[in-house]
Amino acid sequence: MSSTKSPKTIATINFKGGVGKTTVTWCLGDILSSTSSMRGLMFDLDAQMSLTQAIALNENTGFLQERFSKWYDIARQRKKTIFDALDAFTKPVPHFDFPVGFDFIYKITDNFHFIPSVEDLYWLELEVFDRNGVKDFIRRLLGKISNSKQLPSYDFVLFDCPPSFTLLSYSVLSCCDLVLIPVNPDFFASKGVALILNSLRLRIEPHPLPKIGIFMNKAKTWSNAPTKEVQFYMREIQRVCDEAAKSQAIEARFFKSYIRERAGVKRAITGGGVPPEMIKDFQNLWRECVEFIG
Amino acid sequence: MFRTPEEEIRELTKEIYEIKEMLREISGKLVRIEARAKRAFPTVLPRLQSQGNRGGIPRLSTSPTISSQEALKMYDDFVKLAKEGNKEEVQHRIETMGLPDLMVLYRELGIPLGKNKPSRRILLNRVFGRINESMLLSTFNLREKINNKKDVEKE
């Protein structure tokens, strides 16, 4: 990367599935890279590959995106996937030998680039036992990307994390600027937030915990304001957040901005794009993330 | 002591209103007890029907005495009390709330009303449900924490 300014690194995580981690990650990246001059890189770290498959699928034709499919096949054949990078990192050799370029990073658009997931990540937990051996993987990989002359400078890096605490999540959480937690207006999603807030420190220690930003996703609205039910859960999560910040000594903030529930957003990745009326929601969310990161 | 007669009247009116609310509650409970007794002993208690009481919970056409903000503040107090182990007190306070106030609380907690008008019992249960949710959200039973707590207690 030519710029000396380091990118803002944000990991989207929630132990509860279905809260919208993947969609939010993609929408944020898409909007930032298409409505501003910023350039972004996005990682899919979930072995379920939802983000990778959504990008691969062309909803209009029902077939796989030819350009991505060809690129992905070659990346796997040449052992240039995230799993291969991790494999190289954990080898008992002095240097992390894994050259990075556009054979490892896919160009969705000129300003929005992507590192896809692979199914092999499913078995990662069985193959790698030393979590401290993996801890610095993402930090070192980002360093390689920053120092690569082939790659451009990135203003932001987004990580779509799995709905569980994996070795890769550990590696991301120990080096990112912000953990972004989407929550839905229901009890189980709120409980997921409470669980992360009250257990993350124990898992990350002795490494410093990143800042944690929580926001309401899929918020039902009435007359342009969240419904009373959504407001109830917003108050509850605010309370959980305040209590955890106090008892766990963590920097956690419940954001004022929220993402409204809209049917169209589910098809955003596979071809529909972000519904125009939702662009402002994501821009507001990004503004709060940046303010919080400082 | 009151500074002006108007202030005294205001206070007295407020007290009268509170007593009326309590009487309505008591009346409602008596009606329910009576209805149950009648169902249990239909042959012994038929005469009570002719005494003018038509049964059911009295209709409360009065407007609520609490605002939306007050209802939410009240809810926070309920959750705090319940967390401190005073669930019975919370239950008593909610059960003695007037229906209009209960409706304000119900609405502010965002509990869906559904198609049919919910009965008072359903309203109460759903408010208790919300309180239980709030309590569960701030309850953690992580093994490490329990172990740490035990270690501290041992020391």
Side-chain angles (χ1 to χ4, degrees):
Chain A
M1 284 190 244
S2 55
S3 169
T4 51
K5 204 178 83 175
S6 55
K8 298 201 183 319
T9 49
I10 298 178
T12 318
I13 192 166
N14 192 331
F15 294 160
K16 164 87 172 61
V19 292
K21 292 182 289 295
T22 301
T23 308
V24 163
T25 310
W26 187 86
C27 290
L28 259 184
D30 181 52
I31 288 169
L32 293 176
S33 59
S34 62
T35 62
S36 73
S37 58
M38 286 194 282
R39 186 177 279 133
L41 175 64
M42 178 171 67
F43 283 72
D44 181 5
L45 299 179
D46 188 353
Q48 288 189 44
M49 298 176 58
S50 305
L51 185 54
T52 303
Q53 287 175 346
I55 286 170
L57 193 70
N58 185 329
E59 201 187 52
N60 296 329
T61 63
F63 291 103
L64 294 176
Q65 291 277 11
E66 202 179 346
R67 185 167 71 93
F68 179 76
S69 298
K70 276 183 183 167
W71 178 92
Y72 192 58
D73 284 345
I74 293 168
R76 278 188 300 179
Q77 281 163 20
R78 293 183 181 169
K79 295 193 180 299
K80 298 296 285 185
T81 68
I82 187 84
F83 185 82
D84 299 306
L86 183 60
D87 192 40
F89 181 77
T90 50
K91 272 195 176 122
V93 289
H95 301 292
F96 177 22
D97 184 20
F98 190 81
V100 290
F102 284 116
D103 51 354
F104 173 60
I105 296 172
Y106 176 71
K107 270 186 181 181
I108 299 174
T109 64
D110 280 345
N111 281 345
F112 193 24
H113 300 169
F114 178 52
I115 297 179
S117 176
V118 278
E119 287 172 7
D120 309 72
L121 290 181
Y122 264 122
W123 316 112
L124 181 67
E125 311 294 313
L126 293 175
E127 292 183 22
V128 181
F129 296 100
D130 178 16
R131 85 170 190 169
N132 283 325
V134 177
K135 193 208 114 205
D136 282 329
F137 168 61
I138 293 290
R139 190 196 305 275
R140 296 275 303 278
L141 186 62
L142 286 178
K144 269 186 177 294
I145 291 168
S146 295
N147 294 325
S148 168
K149 285 177 184 165
Q150 285 185 48
L151 297 172
S153 161
Y154 291 109
D155 299 292
F156 62 91
V157 179
L158 304 173
F159 300 93
D160 182 27
C161 295
S164 56
F165 195 82
T166 64
L167 286 169
L168 275 179
S169 326
Y170 175 59
S171 181
V172 171
L173 296 178
S174 58
C175 77
C176 67
D177 296 319
L178 178 73
V179 175
L180 186 62
I181 306 179
V183 62
N184 298 159
D186 67 65
F187 172 74
F188 299 105
S190 307
K191 188 69 189 168
V193 173
L195 186 66
I196 293 182
L197 291 179
N198 285 279
S199 58
L200 206 55
R201 172 169 286 285
L202 287 165
R203 308 294 163 204
I204 298 287
E205 273 177 349
H207 312 293
L209 194 70
K211 290 179 177 176
I212 302 172
I214 303 129
F215 70 97
M216 185 59 78
N217 189 34
K218 301 184 189 177
K220 290 183 186 70
T221 52
W222 181 257
S223 299
N224 265 337
T227 61
K228 293 281 185 190
E229 187 176 27
V230 174
Q231 286 179 36
F232 169 78
Y233 285 105
M234 286 170 108
R235 289 177 71 245
E236 287 305 306
I237 295 158
Q238 179 74 65
R239 192 202 318 260
V240 167
C241 193
D242 292 344
E243 282 174 7
K246 208 171 157 188
S247 66
Q248 303 290 308
I250 54 175
E251 281 190 87
R253 183 184 290 183
F254 184 57
F255 291 155
K256 287 185 179 69
S257 45
Y258 56 87
I259 307 293
R260 288 170 293 168
E261 185 182 58
R262 290 288 183 275
V265 80
K266 282 183 181 170
R267 298 201 324 272
I269 314 177
T270 51
V274 181
E277 74 272 19
M278 295 191 73
I279 292 175
K280 202 81 187 154
D281 291 9
F282 286 99
Q283 286 172 334
N284 290 339
L285 176 65
W286 175 253
R287 200 170 300 124
E288 268 196 273
C289 289
V290 173
E291 271 173 25
F292 189 33
I293 293 170
Chain B
M1 285 299 104
F2 303 103
R3 280 168 294 196
T4 60
E6 285 81 5
E7 193 180 343
E8 187 176 7
I9 290 166
R10 265 202 307 276
E11 279 306 307
L12 284 172
T13 313
K14 203 174 153 190
E15 279 182 32
I16 289 168
Y17 179 76
E18 284 170 5
I19 293 166
K20 279 167 80 177
E21 283 289 305
M22 280 187 248
L23 289 173
R24 281 197 188 98
E25 283 298 318
I26 293 164
S27 170
K29 282 181 181 173
L30 284 172
V31 168
R32 280 198 298 276
I33 293 165
E34 187 190 347
R36 280 183 199 166
K38 273 183 208 164
R39 278 199 299 274
F41 309 102
T43 53
V44 184
L45 287 169
R47 278 170 295 165
L48 282 172
Q49 280 180 342
S50 61
Q51 290 178 3
N53 191 333
R54 284 160 201 258
I57 300 169
R59 292 185 66 174
L60 298 178
S61 55
T62 47
S63 51
T65 60
I66 53 170
S67 65
S68 301
Q69 283 77 17
E70 284 167 335
L72 290 172
K73 170 80 179 55
M74 197 181 265
Y75 180 77
D76 289 343
D77 292 342
F78 290 156
V79 173
K80 199 172 166 227
L81 272 171
K83 273 203 253 180
E84 288 165 358
N86 302 315
K87 271 186 121 173
E88 279 176 11
E89 190 190 332
V90 173
Q91 190 166 348
H92 174 73
R93 281 178 62 180
I94 295 172
E95 279 177 350
T96 51
M97 276 175 84
L99 191 59
D101 288 351
L102 192 60
M103 280 304 289
V104 174
L105 182 61
Y106 190 84
R107 204 170 47 239
E108 287 308 313
L109 296 179
I111 306 169
L113 274 166
K115 280 181 186 170
N116 301 322
K117 196 177 166 189
S119 68
R120 185 180 171 83
R121 180 46 50 195
I122 289 173
L123 286 177
L124 291 172
N125 284 345
R126 289 185 180 165
V127 171
F128 291 139
R130 280 285 200 248
I131 291 172
N132 287 335
E133 275 191 36
S134 296
M135 284 177 68
L136 280 172
L137 283 173
S138 52
T139 307
F140 303 101
N141 296 309
L142 293 170
R143 200 179 62 228
E144 288 90 339
K145 285 194 174 180
I146 294 165
N147 289 345
N148 288 345
K149 206 176 167 185
K150 278 181 187 166
D151 291 343
V152 171
E153 280 167 3
K154 272 181 196 170
E155 283 168 14

